[in-house]
Amino acid sequence: QHPSHRPIFSFSRRSGRLTDGQQTSWETLGPKYLVDVERAELDFSVNPAFRVDPAELFGRDAPLVVEIGSGTGEAVVAAAAERPERNFLAVEVVVAGLARTLRRIEDAGLSNVRLVEANAVEVLEHMLPPGSVEELWIFFPDPWHKAKHTKRRLVRDGFSAVAANALRPGGRMRLATDWEDYAFQMREVLDAAPEFTSEHPGDWAPRFDGRTLTVFERKAAKAGRRIHDLSYVTAE
């Protein structure tokens, strides 16, 4: 049996962090939509030998969109409903968010979304075949805004090579953040990356109309934080 179809593991360690409804979603819907990741040593790690065939995971061969940091699933579920011809893989480590996403998927009656509870870099580096991703979405990643924590940010030196390897030739990476200094860091890192070309050199991209306006984005705008979008493509 393919690893992605095995029953998911260890519900017990999550029970204290979930509401009763979320726990029910996790237990009843998890086996349907969650990838059962083979771990290395840490909870959110991916065994370097673990691979997933996207066509087998989704039961069809279709362009794959990966969203890193999918939160409660508001954006990815809306996108999947609007684009049934694409497959969507949502990567998240907050279990309550994953549980809410499971419920959203089920309520929307979607068959083109799967979730993975894992470190995103390891998902791209190990779990997915090279060149298998059509688009990579990174919307409002944790800004780690304290100076001593900025080294934990996802988009930093070294990330571009991992992302480009997962994307197909001519694949696209879309990013958005409401933290201005992170936006400039993203642009600096990716402008310098030989694997990527900016679709709007030296400038911000227009707002991606495929990104639904989430509660989080509304709050950021209400707080006066400007949303910065970026878009990059890999070489054909």
Side-chain angles (χ1 to χ4, degrees):
Q1 191 178 24
H2 191 268
S4 61
H5 300 308
R6 293 202 306 261
I8 56 175
F9 65 94
S10 182
F11 298 123
S12 60
R13 71 182 180 86
R14 300 173 172 83
S15 58
R17 294 184 253 171
L18 302 180
T19 65
D20 289 346
Q22 289 168 348
Q23 183 70 26
T24 298
S25 295
W26 187 267
E27 294 181 8
T28 59
L29 302 177
K32 189 174 179 180
Y33 301 110
L34 269 167
V35 178
D36 181 23
V37 179
E38 291 179 7
R39 306 294 180 184
E41 295 180 7
L42 303 176
D43 285 348
F44 303 126
S45 64
V46 177
N47 186 321
F50 180 63
R51 300 287 184 276
V52 165
D53 177 357
E56 190 171 344
L57 179 64
F58 288 90
R60 66 173 186 170
D61 194 3
L64 176 63
V65 177
V66 176
E67 183 183 15
I68 293 177
S70 54
T72 64
E74 191 176 358
V76 73
V77 170
E82 291 171 6
R83 295 168 177 78
E85 76 285 356
R86 289 188 167 194
N87 293 333
F88 290 81
L89 180 67
V91 184
E92 180 57 70
V93 295
V94 178
V95 177
L98 287 165
R100 290 184 65 185
T101 306
L102 289 168
R103 176 48 58 190
R104 288 184 194 273
I105 298 169
E106 184 75 1
D107 288 348
L110 300 176
S111 61
N112 59 334
V113 188
R114 297 292 183 274
L115 309 181
V116 58
E117 178 199 12
N119 173 13
V121 171
E122 294 178 65
V123 170
L124 298 177
E125 197 168 21
H126 306 312
M127 192 183 102
L128 294 174
S132 62
V133 179
E134 177 81 16
E135 291 197 4
L136 179 62
W137 293 356
I138 305 172
F139 299 149
F140 308 101
D142 193 328
W144 294 105
H145 57 277
K146 292 183 180 179
K148 64 181 179 179
H149 290 155
T150 55
K151 62 182 180 294
R152 300 183 186 180
R153 287 174 171 173
L154 175 66
V155 183
R156 59 182 188 274
D157 291 343
F159 174 74
S160 57
V162 173
N165 187 60
L167 285 161
R168 70 162 179 81
R172 179 174 282 104
M173 178 160 59
R174 301 184 186 276
L175 310 97
T177 181
D178 57 321
W179 287 88
E180 188 170 72
D181 70 312
Y182 196 5
F184 278 97
Q185 178 182 325
M186 288 176 170
R187 194 168 74 179
E188 181 179 357
V189 167
L190 295 173
D191 281 355
E195 302 90 353
F196 285 100
T197 300
S198 173
E199 294 196 283
H200 303 274
D203 200 358
W204 308 110
R207 187 186 188 281
F208 173 43
D209 60 7
R211 186 178 78 242
T212 191
L213 187 60
T214 62
V215 170
F216 181 89
E217 187 171 349
R218 285 192 180 95
K219 286 180 179 178
K222 189 175 181 180
R225 295 195 297 273
R226 177 188 171 189
I227 311 301
H228 295 81
D229 279 75
L230 292 162
S231 182
Y232 291 80
V233 292
T234 58
E236 293 280 0

